[in-house]
Amino acid sequence: MNESNGSDRSSSADPGETPEWVPTPDQPWRPIPDGEDGDSFQYDYGADWCVDRASHPQFHGGYPSPNHHRTECRSYDGFFGALDDGGRPGYFSAYLVRPFRFGQLGHTPDETRLAIEFEPAEDTGGEPFRCTVHPASIRNLAAYLAHTADVEEGWRPPRHISQGLTDS
């Protein structure tokens, strides 16, 4: 699945940017000038947990390797066989994502999110699906999945989570 955060431009220049640079397959990201010329194009070091960390600019001569995903850093993914609501087979995966903003103008604060996607095993199996989960919800989701993993055919009382609050 290809998600876009805007760094894979198809036009030669966006409003407010100089038209001299045009993305190519070998240089899909805007090069970052060495000197301070007033424009604040981002030099993104990427996420430490990125599966393509060796392709980040600091490890690849100052420019990202074209092997890196153009729009985001991704962690290794968990990959599981699954069925969609219609019973058609597919694959469920979960991995961390963070936008990769090398060469973009300005600064956008980003957060790491959990991406969850389902991709049908067959071309006629329906559309791929992807959603992301806010970082604050990842631990709750993990606790919920751990709790429900022990339930097969029976009911189990809800797990009570201590909020860490004490009476003083």
Side-chain angles (χ1 to χ4, degrees):
M1 292 183 193
N2 292 326
E3 304 295 323
S4 177
N5 69 8
S7 62
D8 52 343
R9 298 179 181 99
S10 58
S11 64
S12 62
D14 287 340
E17 295 185 13
T18 56
E20 296 93 42
W21 176 77
V22 176
T24 64
D26 290 342
Q27 286 202 325
W29 296 279
R30 175 181 292 281
I32 306 298
D34 289 337
E36 189 63 42
D37 63 355
D39 291 330
S40 57
F41 295 107
Q42 293 186 55
Y43 185 95
D44 193 344
Y45 289 91
D48 291 338
W49 42 258
C50 181
V51 71
D52 288 325
R53 187 167 190 250
S55 297
H56 290 164
Q58 68 271 31
F59 304 115
H60 201 265
Y63 189 85
S65 165
N67 296 331
H68 192 280
H69 192 280
R70 290 190 183 191
T71 62
E72 63 192 12
C73 284
R74 293 182 176 187
S75 70
Y76 288 102
D77 62 340
F79 203 66
F80 312 94
L83 299 174
D84 70 4
D85 285 344
R88 293 179 297 270
Y91 303 98
F92 168 82
S93 62
Y95 51 92
L96 295 176
V97 294
R98 191 198 67 121
F100 185 62
R101 300 202 185 273
F102 186 91
Q104 291 186 9
L105 187 60
H107 179 72
T108 305
D110 293 312
E111 60 186 16
T112 298
R113 295 181 68 89
L114 174 67
I116 299 172
E117 67 180 52
F118 177 82
E119 189 159 346
E122 302 165 355
D123 289 338
T124 60
E127 290 295 315
F129 171 83
R130 173 175 150 159
C131 68
T132 61
V133 177
H134 190 273
S137 298
I138 294 173
R139 283 197 176 107
N140 291 338
L141 175 62
Y144 175 77
L145 292 173
H147 177 72
T148 58
D150 293 333
V151 177
E152 276 191 42
E153 298 297 327
W155 177 83
R156 185 173 175 179
R159 185 172 79 109
H160 296 285
I161 301 173
S162 170
Q163 298 296 323
L165 301 175
T166 58
D167 294 330
S168 301

